[in-house]
Amino acid sequence: MPDDGGPEPFRTQLIDGMRVEWDVPIEMDDGIVLRADVFRPVTGEPVPVIMTYGPYAKGLPFQRGYPSAWEAMSRDHPDAVAGTSNKYQNWEVVDPEKWVPHGYACVRVDSRGTGRSPGRVDPFSPRETRDFHDCVEWAGTREWSNGRVGLNGISYYAMNQWHVASLRPPHLAAICPWEGAADFYRDGAYQGGIRSTFWDNWYDMQVKTVQYGVGEVGGLDPNTGQRICGDDVLQPAELAANRTDLGADIRAHAFDDAYHRDRSAHWDAIDVPVLSCGNWGGQGLHLRGNVEGFVRAASTRKWLEMHGHAHWPLFYTDYGVDLQTRFFDRYLKDERNGWEDRPAVQLQIRQVDGTFTERGEDAWPLPSTRWTRLYPTVDGSLAEEAPAAGGTARFVASGDGVEFSTPPLPERTEITGPLAAKLFVSSSTTDADLFLVVRVYSPSGEEVVFQGALDPHTPVGQGWLRASHRRLDPELTTPYRPFHPHDRTEPLEPGAVYELDIEILPTSLVIPAGYRLGLQVRGRDYVYPGPSARLSNLKNDLTGCGPFLHNDPADRPPRAYTAETTLHLGGSQASYLLLPVIPTA
């Protein structure tokens, strides 16, 4: 393939203060040619590169592909769309009109089989990760590159950053995964060992719609006039043959085997500087990986930032762009800008009214944490002392379960960090699925919910566990973050009592005096007791858990997940909720 010094098999345009190269070919090791759009300064001087590689079609405008998300961002975060024509805004990647003037080249690559890149679609596969590696190396060796490539983007464009960083491409200089899972099994496919149907529906709505070869259905890129999804038009059978059946693949791998590990981060290999940005309300996909990445990545130069709001707008706001550019300026431009003097952990501490207070911390979990146990009791309370006498609470195994709550809190209480629960459980069948929800109620009894990453009525905290997956990994488990290997099933003996340690994903909330804190133990997904909502790019209504539902009947057959589940609540079998209480300064 000719390099930049030879004849250009793509179109170059000087527009909006940038040199834009449309549909640049990047040849992979097996001969497949991927296509990229390159936005860079007109001077031609070598600059650092911000790259994304993903399946959402580089020619699909944000406004067209995700209209409800765009409208919400424009309305609620006007700075996200200010200072730019927005002609080059794409879903979950940087806006070049904000980055090129700051001295960066922005490279967007359509992943194999999507947009204008031919080939077979296989999301997050080793083939994709190798492609991404080679794209990083291609960008790092262009004459317009200073040899340093940074990766930045949301969700898919965050997840595959963890993957490719595990391969250590020589020209990769820093990564900023913004709200992206890192453990394919635990963070999204099988939460607590219970299958989520998110990936099935996501594939239908956001990937198949822009598969290479769908023709006019994919529309035209308004910036180039080209078909967004390539010049070839493939028949339905050809399209199906050119993509994996993602839902079937996940269903065929019910344990954390090589399939999932090939699509997950390898922490010991990640040694580049990391800015990991997670969302308190991203309980289904956009939270756990960011915290795990900060804690477990081998890099000695790593920072964690945790925020709220919907998962796409903050990335584009002045807050998000300033945070990202300062990080990349340090490691891609070698600017001595004081970045390394900042606290290792930057938190947006959530208030019950949905506002946030910024605070820096030195480590995760927070060093000042006062680990506090609250014990469910037979009268429905959460008590500070374990009940001396044993008791039980029973519920329909696939139903809404039972709830326990504190009395009105006597003083302001902050909980920030990871949570966990130890439950003593018996089942009338050979298994039980536990869905844990941490809830907070105002003095009037109204539940406090928040705008989550996707769902506008997201509860304070959630955790999941299939009882037959209860075995712990002793090396990776901590009291506040149980870790289950999920490598085999150990059926329950009906009526026998089992000790279950359940991870509840991190949260942050300052709870005023007079409010109550609750723990609900359910047999199915949480449902917000109020109106649902919708986003144009999602298949299901948003009823509290967003698109992250555990409703695959093949995964939860009635013979195993009906009848009755019993919680044991005192004496030698005292269940408890572990909270990260932060003392008032």
Side-chain angles (χ1 to χ4, degrees):
M1 186 186 75
D3 62 19
D4 286 351
E8 293 188 344
F10 50 85
R11 183 163 64 90
T12 297
Q13 187 176 17
L14 296 179
I15 188 172
D16 295 318
M18 302 181 289
R19 181 183 300 275
V20 185
E21 296 166 337
W22 304 106
D23 238 23
V24 180
I26 309 176
E27 186 172 350
M28 298 294 99
D29 58 3
D30 62 352
I32 285 285
V33 175
L34 307 182
R35 293 288 174 168
D37 290 341
V38 179
F39 304 82
R40 56 190 180 92
V42 296
T43 62
E45 294 295 318
V47 293
V49 180
I50 300 295
M51 172 172 275
T52 50
Y53 170 104
Y56 296 144
K58 61 184 176 61
L60 179 63
F62 190 147
Q63 304 92 317
R64 182 194 299 176
Y66 301 85
S68 58
W70 175 266
E71 290 163 8
M73 181 174 75
S74 303
R75 180 188 66 239
D76 300 336
H77 301 273
D79 59 323
V81 297
T84 167
S85 71
N86 295 301
K87 291 191 298 186
Y88 314 103
Q89 287 272 31
N90 278 42
W91 177 243
E92 299 187 335
V93 301
V94 301
D95 180 354
E97 288 189 275
K98 293 187 177 182
W99 285 78
V100 171
H102 195 67
Y104 286 91
C106 298
V107 179
R108 296 172 174 171
V109 186
D110 277 340
S111 58
R112 182 178 293 241
T114 66
R116 293 188 60 80
S117 293
R120 186 171 186 271
V121 186
D122 191 358
F124 304 115
S125 65
R127 176 68 263 180
E128 270 206 355
T129 304
R130 173 50 59 179
D131 287 349
F132 199 178
H133 170 284
D134 292 351
C135 289
V136 169
E137 290 306 287
W138 175 88
T141 55
R142 298 304 93 188
E143 64 179 14
W144 41 260
S145 168
N146 75 349
R148 296 183 183 182
V149 178
L151 308 179
N152 192 16
I154 309 172
S155 196
Y156 197 105
Y157 300 103
M159 292 178 67
N160 62 12
Q161 290 182 50
W162 297 118
H163 305 165
V164 76
S166 301
L167 297 183
R168 293 179 173 173
H171 289 88
L172 181 61
I175 64 172
C176 178
W178 191 283
E179 300 187 30
D183 181 323
F184 196 74
Y185 187 91
R186 292 166 185 81
D187 294 354
Y190 285 89
Q191 290 151 336
I194 309 168
R195 187 168 114 78
S196 168
T197 54
F198 166 74
W199 288 120
D200 310 49
N201 297 332
W202 164 84
Y203 201 42
D204 288 344
M205 297 292 287
Q206 293 184 233
V207 179
K208 293 180 184 179
T209 52
V210 289
Q211 184 180 354
Y212 179 88
V214 300
E216 297 294 342
V217 174
L220 298 179
D221 181 342
N223 292 311
T224 66
Q226 295 175 306
R227 285 179 177 168
I228 290 170
C229 298
D231 298 325
D232 297 328
V233 179
L234 304 181
Q235 297 304 307
E238 294 176 290
L239 292 169
N242 277 354
R243 62 177 183 251
T244 192
D245 186 337
L246 184 61
D249 291 346
I250 293 171
R251 194 177 298 110
H253 296 273
F255 300 112
D256 186 22
D257 58 13
Y259 173 86
H260 295 282
R261 290 193 295 274
D262 283 345
R263 291 157 175 78
S264 299
H266 299 279
W267 300 120
D268 292 346
I270 299 176
D271 57 5
V272 295
V274 176
L275 172 59
S276 179
C277 303
N279 190 320
W280 300 122
Q283 295 153 5
L285 192 69
H286 303 109
L287 166 58
R288 185 182 185 277
N290 289 103
V291 175
E292 288 284 299
F294 170 74
V295 173
R296 297 180 64 188
S299 176
T300 58
R301 297 164 295 173
K302 54 185 180 179
W303 288 264
L304 175 67
E305 186 272 350
M306 295 294 298
H307 55 260
H309 304 291
H311 93 105
W312 65 92
L314 207 65
F315 178 84
Y316 298 93
T317 62
D318 293 343
Y319 168 85
V321 173
D322 178 66
L323 183 71
Q324 299 155 36
T325 53
R326 282 188 289 133
F327 170 69
F328 285 116
D329 286 350
R330 174 66 188 88
Y331 294 109
L332 272 62
K333 295 182 176 181
D334 207 24
E335 291 184 2
R336 304 295 172 174
N337 59 7
W339 175 268
E340 287 149 321
D341 299 330
R342 66 189 292 109
V345 177
Q346 178 177 310
L347 304 177
Q348 300 290 331
I349 304 298
R350 188 163 53 183
Q351 313 295 316
V352 293
D353 63 357
T355 61
F356 297 86
T357 303
E358 187 171 315
R359 189 172 76 219
E361 296 281 354
D362 294 328
W364 181 274
L366 310 193
S368 63
T369 302
R370 187 175 72 236
W371 297 105
T372 303
R373 295 182 181 183
L374 294 179
Y375 297 87
T377 68
V378 293
D379 65 1
S381 65
L382 279 176
E384 295 181 359
E385 300 292 333
T392 61
R394 294 180 171 85
F395 62 92
V396 176
S398 59
D400 293 336
V402 292
E403 187 165 356
F404 310 89
S405 69
T406 65
L409 298 177
E411 60 184 6
R412 171 190 179 275
T413 303
E414 179 186 333
I415 54 171
T416 296
L419 299 81
K422 184 181 289 291
L423 300 182
F424 291 87
V425 174
S426 60
S427 172
S428 60
T429 67
T430 58
D431 216 336
D433 285 350
L434 285 301
F435 296 72
L436 272 58
V437 186
V438 177
R439 307 174 77 173
V440 169
Y441 298 92
S442 72
S444 65
E446 182 179 0
E447 183 178 8
V448 177
V449 292
F450 301 96
Q451 171 63 63
L454 294 171
D455 200 301
H457 304 111
T458 299
V460 174
Q462 294 191 76
W464 309 262
L465 184 65
R466 175 158 289 171
S468 61
H469 287 226
R470 64 193 175 276
R471 189 168 62 87
L472 294 170
D473 182 323
E475 293 186 4
L476 293 176
T477 290
T478 65
Y480 54 80
R481 204 276 271 116
F483 194 95
H484 304 86
H486 296 295
D487 58 1
R488 63 177 181 261
T489 297
E490 297 177 290
L492 310 184
E493 179 183 337
V497 180
Y498 296 87
E499 183 177 344
L500 309 182
D501 291 278
I502 304 175
E503 176 184 16
I504 301 174
L505 300 190
T507 194
S508 177
L509 182 64
V510 176
I511 309 172
Y515 282 62
R516 294 183 298 112
L517 184 145
L519 172 66
Q520 187 176 32
V521 182
R522 302 171 58 88
R524 60 183 177 185
D525 285 310
Y526 166 86
V527 177
Y528 172 67
S532 63
R534 284 201 66 83
L535 283 172
S536 58
N537 57 301
L538 300 178
K539 188 175 288 188
N540 62 286
D541 285 351
L542 307 180
T543 58
C545 292
F548 308 107
L549 302 178
H550 305 82
N551 55 359
D552 181 357
D555 183 61
R556 305 188 70 206
R559 65 182 179 277
Y561 301 103
T562 55
E564 190 172 71
T565 300
T566 301
L567 303 182
H568 298 260
L569 302 175
S572 62
Q573 297 174 336
S575 298
Y576 62 81
L577 169 67
L578 183 67
L579 291 176
V581 176
I582 309 303
T584 301

